[in-house]
């Protein structure tokens, strides 16, 4: 499964990046490919292109507030969770994303 | 851009044996250390913002680690504080485990230096790695802690 993800937390210095790492590690462990964009204190980093989003099976938005360029995900199966949820049980989040694809 | 790690952390911002027994004591100690190193405009505002952030939801991210932090105009320059607790304390962590390593972060509201923010973000990601956490927890000197931080600083 190809996953694209965005992480964002209120201050954009800690949870944004911890969630990114958690998603990358769990996706790898579960045999998925993933690219994670961060929207943190340094702005958008590792930005997802429209092409990457269109080619993905599912988007995971691990965000605690509104994010920029949300409209990019209009046309793709997606789940929205908090960064907290990702840190607490990342595999479960990815499994939830899997179920979106299977439907 | 040339800059040194000491702009973010130094041995005055490390305590490898803090004997606080409550979350409140730990947070107060962080504020005290950051303030003592002349990195705050307003001690009260930084403390208030840290508490607000804790109330939003716990910064106990699991694995015995908490990362209380605040991004506010009360902060003069980006700062990392490292406290190793002599006894683990409750932090209402995501995995319900007690916390024995606290990484305090102070970030100015309008931080223009991305290099500093980059290091803080890299540190956050490194904390997800078991090896790194253990090395930090087992460090036998402040210099050992600084060496670990330096690895993050210089390696990609």
């Amino acid at each position: 499964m190809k996953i694209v993800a965005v992480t964002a937390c209120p201050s954009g210095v800690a949870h944004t990046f911890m969630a990114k790492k958690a998603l990358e590690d769990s996706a790898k462990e579960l045999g998925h490919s993933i690219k994670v964009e961060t929207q943190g204190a340094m702005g958008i980093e590792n930005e997802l292109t429209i092409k990457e989003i269109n080619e993905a099976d599912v988007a995971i938005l691990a965000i605690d507030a509104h994010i920029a360029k949300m409209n990019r995900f209009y046309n793709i199966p997606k789940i929205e969770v908090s960064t907290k949820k990702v840190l607490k049980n990342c595999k479960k989040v990815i499994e939830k994303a899997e179920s979106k694809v299977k439907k | 851009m040339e800059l040194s790690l000491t702009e973010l952390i130094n041995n005055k911002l490390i305590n490898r044996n803090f004997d606080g027994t409550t979350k409140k004591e730990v947070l107060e100690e962080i504020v005290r250390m950051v303030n003592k190193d002349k990195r705050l405009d307003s001690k009260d505002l930084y403390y208030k913002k840290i508490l607000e952030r804790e109330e939003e939801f716990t910064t106990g991210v699991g694995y015995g680690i908490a990362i209380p932090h605040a991004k506010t105009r009360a902060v003069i320059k980006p700062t990392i504080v490292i406290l190793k607790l002599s006894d683990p304390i409750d932090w209402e962590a995501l995995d319900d485990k007690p916390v024995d390593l606290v990484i305090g972060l102070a970030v100015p509201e309008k931080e223009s230096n991305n290099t500093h923010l980059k290091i803080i973000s890299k540190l956050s990601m490194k904390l997800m790695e078991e090896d790194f956490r253990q090395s930090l927890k087992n460090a036998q000197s402040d210099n050992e802690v600084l060496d670990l931080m330096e690895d993050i600083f210089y390696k990609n």
Side-chain angles (χ1 to χ4, degrees), chain B residues 8-18 26 29-30 33-34 66 79-85 100-105 123 127 132 136-137 139 142 144-146 148-149 152:
Chain B
L8 278 167
I9 185 168
N10 59 57
N11 57 5
K12 280 176 272 173
L13 297 164
I14 298 170
N15 184 342
R16 288 177 301 104
N17 197 14
F18 182 62
V26 172
E29 178 64 8
I30 289 171
M33 287 165 83
V34 179
T79 302
I80 300 167
V81 179
I82 298 181
L83 286 184
K84 172 82 175 64
L85 310 182
D100 64 350
L101 182 66
V102 182
I103 317 286
L105 302 174
L123 171 62
L127 288 171
F132 182 75
L136 259 187
K137 287 184 185 183
D142 292 352
E144 216 176 295
V145 174
L146 289 172
L148 286 163
M149 298 302 299
I152 300 179

Side-chain angles (χ1 to χ4, degrees), chain A residues 15-67:
Chain A
H15 287 70
T16 300
F17 298 95
M18 298 181 119
K20 173 187 163 82
K21 178 82 166 112
L23 283 168
E24 286 172 350
D25 289 350
S26 295
K28 198 175 164 191
E29 210 180 313
L30 295 168
H32 302 303
S33 77
I34 191 166
K35 180 174 174 183
V36 185
E37 168 183 305
T38 51
Q39 294 196 15
M42 291 162 290
I44 299 181
E45 290 182 293
N46 206 32
E47 185 167 349
L48 297 166
T49 65
I50 298 291
K51 186 166 177 280
E52 283 165 339
I53 294 167
N54 288 339
E55 283 172 4
D57 298 299
V58 65
I60 297 175
L61 306 175
I63 55 179
D64 301 323
H66 291 297
I67 56 164

